[in-house]
Amino acid sequence: MTTQKPFSQACENNKQPILDALKQVFTRPATVWEIGSGTGQHACYFAEQLPHLVWQPTDRLENIAGIRLWQQEAKLANLQAPLQLDVADSVWPCTSIEALFTANTLHIMRWDEVKLLFTRLADYLTEQASVCIYGPFNYRGSYTSESNERFDQWLHRQNPRSGIKHFEEVVDLAAAIGLELQADHEMPANNRLLVFKRKAIRRVERRAV
């Protein structure tokens, strides 16, 4: 069966505003791991626009073929072939992560999957790692717009355990693994881009007894 090249209009709509924010975060050469690359459009665009980065797209198996079509067509030296990754996997296809980006994933995940994501990041993120998370969030227990409320209701109809996550709860999960919130950017269509940075880990030297 031939795989059709996937396309998301939302990716086309939001790629430039996201890029503008990423330029402020990923300023030095690094490998950026993208969790849930979806169609692969973001991976291609950001790799092209940020040539000092190596971009590593990842997703569940069912999306890999579509991402590969975008990657192969783009022919970018700094864009890696997509890797299969589910946040629930006990072992990820990497040894460490110095920069991470994910877009429109948290509201698709169940809350236990979101917690698993941060549990895994605790093991893989290096000191001073930067993490960027894009998508809709609720603040102080409330929707930020009527369109987000309608979108959340639609998500619940697809999967009762999915839905827009609460900003404060996500920040708490991040803080538990040493991630400090650096910025909360307003994005188009009532989305946000949360930027975190991992604090340096304090090492305590053991004295000989």
Side-chain angles (χ1 to χ4, degrees):
M1 185 173 63
T2 303
T3 300
Q4 296 294 319
K5 185 180 175 184
F7 178 82
S8 167
Q9 186 59 51
C11 284
E12 289 300 303
N13 296 343
N14 64 34
K15 66 183 184 181
Q16 185 61 50
I18 294 176
L19 175 65
D20 292 340
L22 295 187
K23 284 180 177 178
Q24 303 173 37
V25 181
F26 301 139
T27 57
R28 297 181 179 181
T31 297
V32 179
W33 285 72
E34 182 181 8
I35 304 298
S37 298
T39 63
Q41 289 165 253
H42 277 162
C44 291
Y45 185 70
F46 298 148
E48 180 182 25
Q49 297 296 317
L50 301 168
H52 64 287
L53 301 175
V54 174
W55 201 272
Q56 178 60 71
T58 73
D59 211 311
R60 290 177 172 174
L61 177 60
E62 59 265 28
N63 293 323
I64 293 297
I67 299 169
R68 188 175 290 119
L69 289 176
W70 279 89
Q71 176 251 331
Q72 291 173 345
E73 184 178 287
K75 294 182 174 63
L76 296 168
N78 64 326
L79 177 60
Q80 301 296 298
L83 295 176
Q84 182 180 341
L85 188 153
D86 188 307
V87 297
D89 293 340
S90 58
V91 178
W92 286 12
C94 61
T95 56
S96 63
I97 296 175
E98 57 186 333
L100 182 136
F101 170 76
T102 189
N104 292 323
T105 54
L106 267 59
H107 60 265
I108 301 298
M109 297 180 190
R110 305 187 306 269
W111 180 241
D112 62 306
E113 291 175 324
V114 175
K115 291 193 290 185
L116 264 177
L117 168 64
F118 283 91
T119 297
R120 299 290 182 260
L121 292 182
D123 295 330
Y124 289 106
L125 289 178
T126 62
E127 292 184 16
Q128 302 300 315
S130 295
V131 174
C132 295
I133 303 175
Y134 173 89
F137 294 94
N138 293 331
Y139 288 77
R140 295 177 292 279
S142 300
Y143 297 109
T144 60
S145 67
E146 291 183 1
S147 62
N148 275 6
E149 182 175 6
R150 292 193 298 271
F151 179 53
D152 194 45
Q153 292 169 352
W154 179 85
L155 288 168
H156 284 301
R157 288 195 295 270
Q158 309 307 306
N159 181 351
R161 298 183 67 188
S162 68
I164 296 176
K165 304 303 185 287
H166 296 285
F167 166 81
E168 294 83 3
E169 293 179 349
V170 172
V171 170
D172 285 345
L173 284 180
I177 64 167
L179 285 170
E180 292 184 328
L181 182 67
Q182 303 289 299
D184 177 4
H185 296 286
E186 184 176 356
M187 292 278 119
N190 301 302
N191 288 299
R192 315 291 298 191
L193 182 72
L194 309 183
V195 179
F196 297 91
K197 194 171 188 65
R198 198 172 200 192
K199 296 179 291 186
I201 301 171
R202 293 183 178 179
R203 293 184 173 85
V204 179
E205 295 184 1
R206 294 184 178 181
R207 296 182 179 178
V209 178

